[in-house]
Amino acid sequence: MQQKTALQRFEEKYIIDPLTGCWLWIGAINENGYGLFWHEGKWGKAHRASYELYVGPIPQGRELDHLCRIRRCVNWVHVEPVTRRVNLLRGDTIVAENARKTTCPRGHEYDSVWGSDKYRGCRTCRNIHKRASYHAKGRAA
């Protein structure tokens, strides 16, 4: 009895969505909705295994971004190796949402970056705050 290859085992674990072209994982799923696959002696994310089986090693310092935004999708064509920063900024997270904002809560355009942590803000609000702080210190003396 001949054992199945990793590719043969992998190809038994997804179905193709004819509308999107996504390969939807029907095997084990983790708590975040990503497929799990036993590959190279350990459990790992199925979309990573797909990329490695069909394309090759994931480039050093890169992670795979689902371009289709479907976590169960294991179609290697639907993922792109990108840096963590790019992946986070493309996502549906608070960090990504804030990075896409172009105006402060008062409606001024973000036009300034300062500080060691690269705080982003608008000069108008910063100047208002500095003036208020300056005058408050002047009255307290």
Side-chain angles (χ1 to χ4, degrees):
M1 183 174 180
Q2 191 176 15
Q3 281 191 334
K4 294 180 183 176
T5 66
L7 186 58
Q8 288 169 329
R9 288 186 305 105
F10 183 86
E11 289 179 339
E12 293 174 346
K13 299 287 185 185
Y14 67 83
I15 56 172
I16 299 174
D17 181 332
L19 297 176
T20 63
C22 287
W23 298 355
L24 301 176
W25 192 250
I26 57 174
I29 302 283
N30 74 8
E31 64 278 0
N32 295 321
Y34 291 98
L36 293 173
F37 183 67
W38 183 262
H39 182 56
E40 296 183 350
K42 63 184 178 195
W43 285 101
K45 291 182 180 168
H47 67 282
R48 292 177 59 87
S50 175
Y51 190 90
E52 290 172 354
L53 289 167
Y54 290 98
V55 179
I58 298 167
Q60 188 75 13
R62 305 290 176 172
E63 50 189 53
L64 298 178
D65 179 24
H66 278 90
L67 301 174
C68 62
R69 297 285 165 243
I70 308 294
R71 291 180 179 185
R72 283 182 48 209
C73 179
V74 294
N75 186 341
W76 62 272
V77 175
H78 290 194
V79 296
E80 177 184 12
V82 296
T83 63
R84 172 159 287 237
R85 176 177 170 74
V86 168
N87 196 10
L88 289 173
L89 292 177
R90 285 181 179 176
D92 226 8
T93 63
I94 293 170
V95 171
E97 185 180 324
N98 284 333
R100 288 189 285 270
K101 290 180 182 175
T102 59
T103 60
C104 79
R106 291 183 176 160
H108 307 123
E109 187 175 331
Y110 283 130
D111 58 1
S112 183
V113 176
W114 61 85
S116 61
D117 59 349
K118 302 293 186 203
Y119 175 78
R120 182 175 66 138
C122 73
R123 284 193 180 126
T124 305
C125 286
R126 186 169 188 218
N127 289 339
I128 290 169
H129 177 72
K130 280 184 159 189
R131 267 189 234 108
S133 178
Y134 174 80
H135 291 295
K137 287 178 186 174
R139 277 186 254 139

